[in-house]
């Protein structure tokens, strides 16, 4: 089966049966101030991510920073040239995971936001330059503090297309006529 992509103003939808509920995006983008005036610099998460790996712990995937509302797990969190790239899987066997999946697919929940403890920050004219942080969680949110922190892709089960349904009906009609 091939993977089809639909482009829209909402996050990119990818139809693939084995990857249903997989989401990806940027939880933070380097050099862009958030609504609190914090600007994260590349490398800000490196020590925290290494500490999570060493301890065998995970950064939480939450709905709107609510620790009582986990919606999935982050499988990959890495720093790249753009920012903090995340990829994870919504738990579709849970109400929260299904709700987050539906809202993300619809584009109603397309922001990402980080929960962290600042280890070092330097005051700037616009706010703070934030360096090492302890990353606790990355949440799916409707309105992120950093406008560039967004879900970029959400995968969903293959959905039948009208042409595919029509072809199935035609094939069934031919078989019925031949019977």
């Amino acid at each position: 089966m091939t993977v089809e992509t639909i482009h829209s103003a909402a996050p990119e939808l990818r139809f693939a049966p084995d990857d249903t509920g997989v989401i990806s995006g940027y939880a933070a983008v380097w050099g862009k101030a958030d609504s609190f005036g914090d600007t994260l610099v590349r490398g800000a998460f490196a020590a925290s991510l290494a500490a999570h790996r060493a301890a065998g712990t995970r950064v939480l995937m939450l709905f709107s920073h609510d620790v009582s509302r986990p919606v999935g797990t982050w499988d990959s969190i890495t720093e790249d040239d753009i920012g903090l790239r995340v990829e994870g899987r919504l738990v579709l066997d849970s109400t929260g995971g299904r709700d987050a999946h539906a809202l993300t697919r619809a584009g109603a929940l397309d922001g990402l936001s980080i929960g962290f403890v600042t280890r070092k920050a330097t005051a700037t004219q616009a706010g703070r330059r934030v360096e090492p942080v302890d990353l606790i969680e990355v949440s799916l949110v409707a309105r992120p503090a950093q406008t560039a922190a967004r879900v970029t892709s959400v995968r969903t089960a293959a959905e039948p297309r009208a042409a595919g349904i029509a072809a199935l009906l035609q094939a069934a009609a031919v078989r019925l006529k031949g019977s």
Side-chain angles (χ1 to χ4, degrees):
M1 177 175 278
T2 61
V3 176
E4 298 178 40
T5 304
I6 296 175
H7 296 283
S8 68
E12 177 181 75
L13 296 180
R14 293 181 179 248
F15 296 108
D18 297 337
D19 291 334
T20 301
V22 172
I23 62 171
S24 58
Y26 281 92
V29 175
W30 312 132
K32 295 195 180 283
D34 65 17
S35 61
F36 301 103
D38 286 347
T39 301
L40 290 155
V41 298
R42 187 171 184 170
F45 301 99
S48 181
L49 295 175
H52 278 291
R53 281 191 297 276
T57 58
R58 286 182 181 233
V59 172
L60 302 172
M61 181 192 292
L62 303 176
F63 178 80
S64 292
H65 302 292
D66 186 343
V67 294
S68 69
R69 296 181 71 186
V71 293
T73 59
W74 294 115
D75 299 321
S76 171
I77 302 177
T78 57
E79 290 188 349
D80 67 15
D81 291 339
I82 297 168
L84 186 65
R85 177 134 179 84
V86 295
E87 183 171 299
R89 183 176 301 271
L90 295 165
V91 177
L92 300 178
D93 291 334
S94 72
T95 301
R98 282 189 306 275
D99 289 349
H101 187 242
L103 292 166
T104 304
R105 284 181 54 201
L109 193 64
D110 67 347
L112 293 171
S113 185
I114 56 176
F116 62 93
V117 175
T118 303
R119 292 295 170 206
K120 179 183 176 190
T122 308
T124 66
Q125 290 180 342
R128 301 185 314 164
R129 179 178 190 267
V130 181
E131 294 183 55
V133 300
D134 289 337
L135 184 61
I136 299 164
E137 55 94 5
V138 177
S139 282
L140 292 166
V141 297
R143 189 175 194 179
Q146 188 185 62
T147 59
R150 297 288 175 178
V151 172
T152 57
S153 174
V154 58
R155 295 184 193 129
T156 191
E159 294 181 358
R161 307 188 90 190
I165 293 170
L168 288 173
L169 291 174
Q170 287 172 348
V174 168
R175 283 189 180 173
L176 288 173
K177 284 181 183 178
S179 299

